[in-house]
Every structure is written in structure tokens, then in C-alpha cells.
């Protein structure tokens, strides 16, 4: 497996730093060339070979548990020395249970249908030719992510099964863990007879590597950033290749005046409190004015029991004295915390107006027993996932039957919503003729 040594970037002199950056740039170019060559081989790899590689990687992870633990211990100690908080250290830790989950994930992806080569919409044209579409890999996928070393396996396995080559750049805090995982991936690819350069893990902490990776359209076909909003904004702003991304998840649930009270209570509670620090958690609750006085007190009691801070509009605060006044900033904030904004709206149109103004395009849900309103909400709300009578927490690749996901896309071109195997492929037109010429 190709990787970068960061020795060249560790000089203290200005000219040494420049030399290090030049070295990083050159090495990233070499990785790009290797990935492009590997992508051609991966595009023609059969399903059996790809599945064999996934299972071989799983076996390597199992066999190399002591090495993985030792590498992770280095990262954990470095994290403690650098003052990482408890939440980040928890994300960084590679326990036996998490290794088990990585192995299970690899085996699950091996069982998923292979999308590559699938032909659809094949039909005869008046000229006599047959025209259809074939699903094909994207080519080379660059993935930039933070903290969790299990993402290295998630990303590598999805790219591998979908016939892509990938260059992975993990967070500096997981440098040793990612290196140990990379060795397992390389060994598994080799055992299956696939190119080791199909998965390359960047092992330098030099930030110039990121700049180089997102600036190689001749070698990289798409970039997938996974991490905080700052990282994704930077990648989106500076990348010279297409980016599959979402900046944040400002998700809404609207409780209609024709909602079933029990469904409304359960969905609104679950959407916020099932997990706080995830992109598909509800951040704003919209409630129809006609039922606000009925629905909100019971919900507020349940939220407060779970430690959720409530911030509301003027009408909300009149119903819930315990709510703090919401600011304009609150409506546009992804809290990722036990904080909830609540707005009382006149009716569904006002709710959709609020969503159109403040939503990040991730996930919105309506709770209603009115079929016509549900259909309108589905048709008019412009987000990557739109739901009826369901918690926003279902906006997830596994829950959608994708088996796994590489992230969520709020873009409107190609992949949208949870991005699984199919989202890591594209389609090309194919034509069958029998000596046909255009008249």
C-alpha cells in the first residue's frame, strides 16, 4: 500500500518546510497516479474477487487485534497529552467491540448486491438500436475525515465493493490506528489478488496533503469530506473536483393540527432525544397553532426530564414559561446537543415557509393524518429526505436498506441523501447495434 512518510515535513526552517510541502505534493501526485491505475483494475474486478477481499480484510483485522490495540494506545495517549476532551477520546478509542463491529460491517457489505455492471432501461429505438444504461464505478474517490478510525474501514469497504479506488486522509489524532488498519486492508487486498493501491491511506499530518488531494482532478474523480462544518466548508470552497457533502443537519419536525397526539409525542421526542450529536437529530420543532396548547406542555415535560433546554418563539414561551426566548440565530443552528428550538406556526404553509428559509436540506418530517397534506409536504419540501409520520432519526443508510453509508449528501446532482454503494457509482449510456448506421 502506498503511503506518505511525514519525515520530510518535520523541519523547523522555512526552506525545510517548503521542501516538505513540495515533497508532500509530489507524493500525493504519486498516490493519485497509483490510484488511477488501480481504478482501472477495480472497474473490471468481479464480485467474487471484491467479496473475497472484504472477507480477507475482516480476517486480518481479527488476527491483528494486538497490533491494532497497540497502535490505538499510542493515539489515545497522544490525545490525552494534547488535551482532547472525553467525547473525542471516546470516538478515537478502538475497543474489541468496535473491532467486532468493523469486521461485521465488512461481512455485511460482502453480502450486499454488487451494483457495478447493472443494466437498466434497455429498449429498442425506431432506428433498431438498443439503448440503455449501465452502472459503473466513479473511479477514484478521495475521503477526508476526522477522529474515528472505524471510518477507515467503512470508507474503504464501500469504495472497494463499488469498484472504486480510494485515497483516505484521516484525522491526525488517529494516525497510528489508521496506519495499523491500512496494513490490514493492504494484506486483504493482496490475498484476494486485487491491487494494494486500490486503498491508500495518507499517513502524514501535513495539512498540505489535504490541499493536494482536493486539487488533482486528473487523478481524483470525487471528494467526500466527513467531519465538522469547518472542514466541509474548506473542502467545498477549495476543491477542484466534485464534492459529495452536507454542511450541517438542521432537521425539522412539523406537528400538524391533524396529527395523532400519540404519534406526535413519540416522534417529536425520539427525533430529538434518541441521540443528540448526530446530523439527523431534530433541531427545530414546528407546531400548528391549533394544537400547540395541547401538544407542547406534555412534550416540554418529557424534554426537560431528559435535560433538554427549550428555546421558543413568543407564542411558545407564552405556553411554556420554562422556555427561553429563541433568537434568529437559533432557527439556523445545528445544536448537536440537548437544546431544541420550538416555533408555533399558523398552519402547514407557514411550517414549509420556515423550513424553506432555515433548513440545511437534510431531513424534514410531518406528523399528520391528512393524506393530502402529507402528499403536499412530500412534494414541496426540498430536502434530501422528507418523511411522513416518522422520526428524522431514520435518515440513515442502514435504515434505508443500503447496508452502510459513506455519508449524507444534500447536493442535488448525482447522490442525494444517504450515500451507499449505488451513490458511489454512476451510469453511462450503452448502445447495442448490428451494423446500424445513422441515415
Amino acid at each position: 500500500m502506498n503511503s506518505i512518510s511525514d519525515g520530510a515535513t518535520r523541519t523547523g526552517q522555512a526552506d525545510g518546510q517548503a521542501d516538505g510541502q513540495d515533497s508532500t505534493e509530489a507524493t500525493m501526485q504519486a498516490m493519485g497516479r497509483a490510484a488511477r491505475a488501480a481504478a482501472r483494475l477495480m472497474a473490471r474486478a468481479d464480485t467474487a474477487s471484491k467479496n473475497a477481499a472484504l472477507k480477507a480484510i475482516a480476517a486480518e483485522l481479527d488476527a491483528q487485534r494486538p497490533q491494532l490495540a497497540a497502535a490505538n494506545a499510542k493515539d489515545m495517549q497522544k490525545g490525552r497529552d494534547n488535551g482532547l476532551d472525553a467525547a473525542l477520546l471516546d470516538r478515537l478509542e478502538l475497543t474489541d467491540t468496535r473491532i467486532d463491529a468493523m469486521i461485521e460491517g465488512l461481512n455485511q457489505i460482502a453480502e450486499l448486491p454488487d451494483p457495478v455492471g447493472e443494466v437498466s432501461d434497455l429498449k429498442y429505438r425506431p432506428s433498431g438500436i438498443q439503448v440503455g444504461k449501465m452502472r459503473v464505478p466513479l473511479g477514484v474517490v478521495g475521503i477526508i475525515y476526522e477522529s474515528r478510525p472505524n471510518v477507515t474501514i467503512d470508507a474503504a469497504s464501500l469504495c472497494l465493493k463499488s469498484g472504486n479506488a480510494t485515497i483516505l486522509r484521516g484525522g491526525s489524532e488517529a494516525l497510528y490506528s489508521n496506519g495499523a488498519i491500512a496494513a490490514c486492508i493492504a494484506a486483504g487486498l493482496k490475498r484476494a489478488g486485487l491491487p494494494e493501491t486500490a486503498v491508500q491511506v495518507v499517513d502524514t499530518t501535513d495539512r498540505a496533503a489535504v490541499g493536494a488531494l482536493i486539487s488533482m482532478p486528473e487523478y481524483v474523480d470525487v471528494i467526500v469530506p466527513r467531519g465538522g462544518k469547518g472542514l466541509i466548508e474548506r473542502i467545498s470552497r477549495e476543491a477542484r473536483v466534485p464534492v459529495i457533502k452536507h454542511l450541517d443537519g438542521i432537521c425539522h419536525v412539523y406537528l400538524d393540527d391533524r396529527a395523532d397526539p400519540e404519534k406526535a409525542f413519540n416522534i417529536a421526542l425520539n427525533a430529538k432525544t434518541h441521540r443528540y450529536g448526530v446530523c439527523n437529530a431534530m433541531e427545530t420543532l414546528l407546531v400548528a397553532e391549533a394544537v400547540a396548547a395541547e401538544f407542547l406542555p406534555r412534550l416540554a415535560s418529557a424534554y426537560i426530564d431528559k435535560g433538554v433546554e427549550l428555546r421558543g418563539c413568543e407564542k411558545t414561551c407564552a405556553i411554556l414559561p420554562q422556555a427561553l426566548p429563541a433568537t434568529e440565530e437559533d432557527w439556523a443552528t445545528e445544536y448537536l446537543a440537548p437544546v431544541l428550538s420550538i416555533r408555533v406556526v399558523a398552519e402547514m404553509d407557514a411550517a414549509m415557509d420556515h423550513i424553506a428559509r432555515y433548513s440545511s436540506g437534510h431531513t424534514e418530517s410531518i406528523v399528520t393524518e391528512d393524506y393530502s397534506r402529507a402528499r403536499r409536504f412530500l412534494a414541496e419540501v426540498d430536502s434530501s429526505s422528507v418523511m411522513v409520520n416518522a422520526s428524522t432519526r431514520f435518515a440513515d443508510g442502514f435504515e434505508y436498506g443500503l447496508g452502510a453509508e459513506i455519508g449524507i449528501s444534500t447536493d442535488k446532482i448525482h447522490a442525494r441523501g444517504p450515500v451507499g454503494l449505488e451513490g458511489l457509482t454512476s451510469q453511462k449510456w450503452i448502445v447495442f447495434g448490428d451494423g446500424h448506421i445513422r441515415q
Side-chain angles (χ1 to χ4, degrees):
M1 176 177 295
N2 281 14
S3 60
I4 298 177
S5 169
D6 56 344
T9 68
R10 290 178 176 169
T11 60
Q13 302 299 318
D15 58 346
Q17 290 172 348
D19 289 344
Q21 288 184 351
D22 289 344
S23 174
T24 298
E25 179 82 22
T27 313
M28 293 302 296
Q29 289 280 324
M31 292 181 77
R33 286 191 294 272
R36 178 61 74 203
R40 293 188 63 188
L41 299 175
M42 291 301 299
R44 68 176 189 239
D46 59 30
T47 302
S49 296
K50 292 185 287 188
N51 288 344
L54 292 167
K55 291 181 179 297
I57 295 168
E60 284 292 328
L61 289 175
D62 195 32
Q64 299 298 322
R65 285 176 189 266
Q67 290 83 349
L68 292 169
N72 186 244
K74 290 182 181 180
D75 286 325
M76 292 293 289
Q77 186 58 54
K78 184 179 67 173
R80 285 188 286 267
D81 293 343
N82 291 338
L84 286 186
D85 64 32
L88 286 175
L89 286 171
D90 178 66
R91 295 176 68 187
L92 180 59
E93 189 174 12
L94 203 55
T95 63
D96 259 341
T97 300
R98 289 178 180 176
I99 294 172
D100 289 341
M102 290 159 59
I103 292 169
E104 177 62 21
L106 285 159
N107 289 324
Q108 287 178 357
I109 291 172
E111 298 301 318
L112 292 174
D114 187 347
V116 177
E118 177 185 289
V119 175
S120 60
D121 300 326
L122 195 63
K123 63 190 70 173
Y124 281 100
R125 300 297 301 145
S127 63
I129 62 171
Q130 274 186 295
V131 179
K133 294 180 180 179
M134 177 182 285
R135 193 157 289 283
V136 295
L138 293 176
V140 177
V141 181
I143 303 176
I144 301 164
Y145 53 101
E146 300 171 337
S147 296
R148 292 178 297 176
N150 63 290
V151 175
T152 303
I153 283 293
D154 294 345
S157 57
L158 286 167
C159 288
L160 195 164
K161 182 63 180 268
S162 55
N164 294 289
T166 184
I167 300 174
L168 306 175
R169 206 289 189 175
S172 59
E173 63 276 14
L175 184 67
Y176 297 109
S177 302
N178 286 336
I181 293 169
C184 294
I185 295 170
L189 287 166
K190 185 176 182 178
R191 281 173 56 186
L194 294 177
E196 295 176 52
T197 47
V199 179
Q200 300 177 85
V201 178
V202 179
D203 69 355
T204 178
T205 58
D206 186 356
R207 295 186 68 183
V210 173
L213 180 59
I214 64 178
S215 303
M216 302 193 300
E218 67 273 33
Y219 301 127
V220 179
D221 295 292
V222 66
I223 292 287
V224 181
R226 291 184 54 161
K229 187 174 181 179
L231 169 72
I232 298 171
E233 284 180 332
R234 179 206 165 188
I235 300 304
S236 302
R237 182 174 60 250
E238 298 178 10
R240 293 177 52 214
V241 296
V243 178
I244 296 176
K245 51 99 180 41
H246 81 274
L247 289 176
D248 45 20
I250 304 174
C251 303
H252 299 78
V253 173
Y254 167 58
L255 306 183
D256 187 45
D257 57 7
R258 296 185 183 176
D260 177 280
E262 283 305 306
K263 292 179 187 177
F265 176 82
N266 291 328
I267 290 169
L269 188 63
N270 179 264
K272 183 61 199 177
T273 66
H274 183 253
R275 283 184 66 189
Y276 297 114
V278 289
C279 62
N280 58 12
M282 173 182 66
E283 303 291 22
T284 299
L285 176 65
L286 304 171
V287 186
E289 190 168 16
V291 293
E294 174 189 354
F295 286 180
L296 283 178
R298 183 185 175 200
L299 272 169
S301 177
Y303 286 134
I304 290 169
D305 284 347
K306 291 182 176 290
V308 177
E309 177 185 309
L310 304 179
R311 302 179 186 178
C313 66
E314 187 175 333
K315 291 179 180 178
T316 299
C317 291
I319 298 170
L320 304 175
Q322 61 270 57
L324 300 172
T327 65
E328 179 67 18
E329 183 181 2
D330 284 314
W331 308 123
T333 296
E334 181 186 28
Y335 297 115
L336 298 174
V339 181
L340 177 66
S341 299
I342 304 174
R343 169 166 274 175
V344 175
V345 294
E347 31 63 49
M348 187 178 75
D349 282 290
M352 292 194 295
D353 287 344
H354 178 101
I355 291 169
R357 180 172 179 180
Y358 296 105
S359 171
S360 60
H362 192 297
T363 302
E364 329 298 342
S365 181
I366 183 174
V367 184
T368 187
E369 297 301 304
D370 188 305
Y371 177 78
S372 297
R373 291 185 185 180
R375 288 297 301 267
R376 272 197 65 203
F377 194 85
L378 290 174
E380 296 179 30
V381 171
D382 189 19
S383 292
S384 65
S385 288
V386 185
M387 304 178 172
V388 176
N389 293 333
S391 168
T392 57
R393 287 287 290 122
F394 283 109
D396 172 84
F398 181 80
E399 294 292 343
Y400 284 6
L402 304 182
E405 68 177 44
I406 205 161
I408 301 285
S409 171
T410 54
D411 297 322
K412 297 185 182 182
I413 298 175
H414 176 51
R416 194 178 191 192
V419 180
L421 292 175
E422 188 172 294
L424 289 170
T425 64
S426 183
Q427 288 183 306
K428 63 183 177 185
W429 291 94
I430 58 172
V431 177
F432 292 99
D434 188 19
H436 288 78
I437 58 174
R438 188 167 179 175
Q439 303 296 327

